């Protein structure tokens, strides 16, 4: 399913469909693989669009849940995506169904600030192990603050933000990436190392199928 979506975007006339593919997908996969979390921790995506990253998160975190073989992993999704646009919700759910990951990935309709409390209501405090923000850069710092105030983050939880250069997330970058522990490497080769407590990193890379279009991804240790 991921290859089908990537193939659609590969047509030069379909570049309007923006997905976190190519080097961005490599960063996301490598980040998830380096996390040391409880198998019961869930992944949260803020901004689902057509379900490309939701499929990837359901696949990665679904494997972790299967390995745990606990009753909790049978009754709950491994990842939850929030999407405001109802049409995008329908498309994303259809893609997840086609990928046969409906038991691991869910898409919830609604505005992110309204959905965030539900994460704690259903999965408890300290239940979110990974968050991928790709919805609205001017809200990244606000939605991070909401998650922290609700005590949603599990120990060792990480936040990965996309499009922090374009369209941009200036307040988030200023608030969480101005310490001396922040690093700004170029495109990573191999898996990113685990972040020290409270540290942050910014990667400079290009958009999927657009090598001339630079963007940044931000990774933050939330604990």
């Amino acid at each position: 399913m991921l290859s089908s979506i990537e193939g659609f975007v590969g047509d030069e006339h379909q570049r309007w469909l923006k997905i976190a593919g190519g080097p961005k997908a490599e960063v996301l996969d490598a980040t998830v693989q380096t996390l040391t979390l409880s198998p019961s921790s869930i992944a949260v995506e803020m901004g689902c669009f057509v379900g490309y990253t939701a499929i990837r998160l359901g696949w990665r975190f679904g494997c972790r849940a299967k390995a745990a073989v606990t009753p909790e992993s049978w009754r709950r999704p491994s990842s939850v995506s929030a999407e405001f646009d109802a049409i995008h919700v329908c498309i994303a759910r259809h893609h997840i169904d086609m990928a046969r990951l409906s038991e691991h990935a869910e898409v919830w309709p609604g505005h992110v600030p309204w959905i965030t409390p539900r994460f704690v209501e259903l999965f408890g405090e300290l239940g979110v192990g990974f968050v991928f923000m790709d919805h609205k850069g001017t809200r990244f710092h606000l939605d991070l603050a909401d998650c922290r105030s609700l005590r949603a983050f599990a120990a060792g939880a990480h936040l990965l933000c996309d499009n922090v250069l374009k369209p941009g997330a200036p307040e988030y970058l200023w608030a969480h990436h101005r310490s001396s522990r922040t690093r700004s490497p170029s495109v990573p080769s191999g898996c990113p190392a685990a972040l020290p407590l409270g540290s942050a990193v910014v990667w400079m890379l290009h958009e999927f199928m657009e090598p001339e279009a630079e963007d940044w991804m931000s990774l933050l240790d939330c604990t």
Side-chain angles (χ1 to χ4, degrees), residues 190-201:
C191 295
L195 291 178
L197 187 67
S199 63
V201 62

Side-chain angles (χ1 to χ4, degrees), residues 52-192:
Y52 177 84
T53 301
I55 292 172
R56 190 175 295 277
L57 291 176
W59 171 37
R60 293 298 187 187
F61 276 79
C63 291
R64 298 167 66 99
K66 283 185 177 180
V69 194
T70 62
E72 289 78 9
S73 66
W74 302 336
R75 299 194 301 264
R76 58 191 289 174
S78 302
S79 69
V80 174
S81 301
E83 173 56 51
F84 184 74
D85 190 293
I87 295 177
H88 293 166
V89 170
C90 293
I91 294 173
R93 286 175 173 175
H94 177 64
H95 285 162
I96 291 170
D97 286 343
M98 293 183 67
R100 300 182 180 180
L101 286 169
S102 297
E103 63 178 313
H104 297 303
E106 291 186 359
V107 182
W108 293 353
H111 195 30
V112 168
W114 306 337
I115 292 178
T116 301
R118 190 178 172 195
F119 298 142
V120 177
E121 291 173 4
L122 293 186
F123 308 119
E125 293 183 351
L126 312 179
V128 176
F130 177 74
V131 178
F132 180 65
M133 290 188 181
D134 190 19
H135 56 308
K136 190 175 183 180
T138 54
R139 281 209 54 90
F140 286 176
H141 63 294
L142 299 174
D143 295 321
L144 172 60
D146 286 345
C147 289
R148 280 178 163 161
S149 66
L150 293 167
R151 302 186 71 235
F153 291 125
H158 281 51
L159 166 65
L160 182 64
C161 295
D162 192 13
N163 299 320
V164 296
L165 176 63
K166 294 189 299 186
E171 291 190 63
Y172 167 78
L173 285 175
W174 174 253
H176 300 287
H177 288 269
R178 57 191 172 128
S179 71
S180 60
R181 290 176 291 180
T182 300
R183 297 174 288 130
S184 298
S186 58
V187 179
S189 57
C191 295

Side-chain angles (χ1 to χ4, degrees), residues 12 21 48 71 73 82 86 88 93 160 187-188 200 204 206 213 217-219:
E12 63 179 355
C48 184
S73 66
H88 293 166
R93 286 175 173 175
L160 182 64
V187 179
M204 297 173 286
H206 64 80
M217 293 186 84
S218 152
L219 179 64

